[in-house]
Amino acid sequence: MPIDWLALGAALISGLAGSVHCVAMCGGVATGLGSLAGQGRPGFGAALRINGGRILGYGLAGVAVGSVGHGLLMVAPQLGLALRVALGAALVLIALRLLDSGRRLAALHKSGAALWQWLAPLRRRLLPANTAARQLGLGMLWGWMPCGLSSAVLFAAWLQADVLQSALLMLAFGLGTLPAMLPLSYSGLRLGGLFARPGLRRAGGVLVLLSGVLTMAAPWLMHSPLLQPLLAGLGCH
């Protein structure tokens, strides 16, 4: 199956443009984990391993939901078209969240603090995070802490109904958040502010919105001789 570059690009842009959300919801966690890993003196290597673990956690979550979605598609292959349209709708929802400067969708921005507390005993077993393995483990737990934006992207990954596509989509999202979250983990300074500018967020939201609309329309646009080569190159199916 070809790589779905359209959805992959939308996930990467969502991570970049959603940096404001990531800083607001996870900034304290990023700074705190960086300090734990550095035992009060967070270093770049520790911050990189923690964020690498977080992105790996996203990827493993993508593998899990992709497996479930693939199993559903194997049982009911006729759902393929519906899942593709639903994937486009999920991307549109992500775009609306990115464009929600007035926080009218604030109810969807909850951070899943209950699960983070439920994982507390496992977090404590990884402390002190004075080895690379423990730092990666802490990062993976951080990646499994749900928030509104990552949960929306995970839902889109499930709708891919393919293990590889779902994992790549979540990895792309994680890489998109890296420019903002890595400096927070390293120094606690908001050096990722460049990627959190409202203009970038709005531009990213528009691009994701267009990706979502094109994804929903792709099954019908594939019948157009003029658009078939372009959509095939983007991995739309």
Side-chain angles (χ1 to χ4, degrees), residues 71-163:
L72 176 63
L73 199 57
M74 291 293 289
V75 173
Q78 66 274 16
L79 292 177
L81 176 60
L83 289 177
R84 187 67 192 181
V85 174
L87 172 61
L91 293 178
V92 169
L93 176 62
I94 293 170
L96 293 177
R97 292 172 57 80
L98 295 174
L99 295 169
D100 183 30
S101 57
R103 295 186 64 79
R104 288 175 291 274
L105 300 176
L108 300 176
H109 288 266
K110 297 181 179 178
S111 63
L115 179 59
W116 188 238
Q117 290 301 318
W118 183 75
L119 291 172
L122 186 54
R123 292 204 317 270
R124 286 193 292 267
R125 295 186 66 176
L126 292 171
L127 298 177
N130 51 7
T131 66
R134 290 188 174 193
Q135 290 161 7
L136 282 171
L138 272 179
M140 288 180 64
L141 289 183
W142 178 16
W144 292 333
M145 183 182 75
C147 71
L149 184 58
S150 64
S151 296
V153 178
L154 187 63
F155 178 65
W158 173 67
L159 292 170
Q160 288 278 53
D162 180 85
V163 174

Side-chain angles (χ1 to χ4, degrees), residues 114 121 134 137 173 224:
R134 290 188 174 193
F173 170 73
S224 169

